Amino acid sequence: MTGPQRSELEKIFTSSGFADFRWVKPSKIPTARWVRMKCVFGCPEYGHNASCPPNTPSVAECRNLLDEYSSAALFHFAKALTPGEDISRWTKEINISLSKMETQVFTRNFPKAFVLFVDSCNLCAACAGSRETCRNNYRARPTVEALAIDVYKTASDAGYPIRVCSDRTQEMNRYAILLVD
């Protein structure tokens, strides 16, 4: 990617409200089976969300997808929830904005633009549960973790903070990725 192309994308990012980002090389983004196992054995979205496992590619296919790109932007979002605040409302707004940003990037002649959401796809009030019956195929996207990406190592390697929180009132650091060439 040329310097002018990167500058053009950075203007789109900031105008979309995403000023906290860093460029990372997709070849350096780690994928791991343990991440998929956390989806399978620990996430309530497993098998219920059309953009989460088992409705996503295998770990090996996820690695292959990342290797098809030479550039990626890692977006950082920090928030401490107030007691009773619903995380899905916050992440839904971010996911919608990320989807719109992806469209802007795509229409600027970056046909491979593909965003990975900050949280499970929650664009619909009730998920259809499978890719075949998804009511929002055009906008629905997987999370970083749904593609078996080790977000902890990715964020740390990029110099961002990340840790496991013991409750949602602690500031959490969430991440999205835009794959682009």
Side-chain angles (χ1 to χ4, degrees):
M1 177 177 304
T2 66
Q5 288 175 316
R6 191 171 273 203
S7 293
E8 179 183 7
L9 291 174
E10 290 174 356
K11 286 177 187 171
I12 294 170
F13 301 165
T14 55
S15 71
S16 298
F18 304 127
D20 192 0
F21 66 88
R22 297 195 181 142
W23 291 101
V24 296
K25 292 185 180 296
S27 63
K28 302 291 186 190
I29 297 173
T31 56
R33 288 183 296 278
W34 75 263
V35 178
R36 181 57 53 85
M37 289 298 104
K38 290 294 228 176
C39 288
V40 175
F41 300 101
C43 182
E45 297 293 329
Y46 180 82
H48 299 286
N49 190 303
S51 296
C52 288
N55 298 308
T56 56
S58 70
V59 175
E61 290 172 315
C62 294
R63 174 77 263 150
N64 291 340
L65 173 69
L66 292 173
D67 290 340
E68 291 180 9
Y69 288 85
S70 62
S71 299
L74 177 67
F75 298 93
H76 173 235
F77 306 90
K79 182 165 178 77
L81 298 176
T82 58
E85 186 178 6
D86 182 13
I87 190 172
S88 63
R89 175 176 286 146
W90 175 60
T91 59
K92 181 176 183 174
E93 291 172 10
I94 294 170
N95 287 347
I96 290 169
S97 295
L98 286 166
S99 177
K100 290 176 181 177
M101 180 194 64
E102 180 197 286
T103 300
Q104 288 180 34
V105 171
F106 175 79
T107 60
R108 299 297 200 299
N109 202 29
F110 293 94
K112 289 173 62 175
F114 191 77
V115 75
L116 305 177
F117 281 167
V118 71
D119 195 12
S120 59
C121 179
N122 53 7
L123 300 179
C124 299
C127 184
S130 74
R131 298 300 317 141
E132 295 81 14
T133 58
C134 178
R135 293 180 294 276
N136 211 341
N137 269 324
Y138 180 70
R139 293 244 180 243
R141 296 291 183 267
T143 65
V144 174
E145 297 86 351
L147 289 194
I149 292 172
D150 181 346
V151 71
Y152 289 91
K153 181 150 179 44
T154 302
S156 293
D157 288 351
Y160 276 122
I162 190 164
R163 65 181 177 87
V164 176
C165 297
S166 58
D167 73 62
R168 291 191 172 184
T169 61
Q170 296 173 325
E171 184 174 83
M172 61 185 131
N173 294 284
R174 305 297 288 265
Y175 296 91
I177 293 176
L178 176 70
L179 300 168
V180 64
D181 274 342

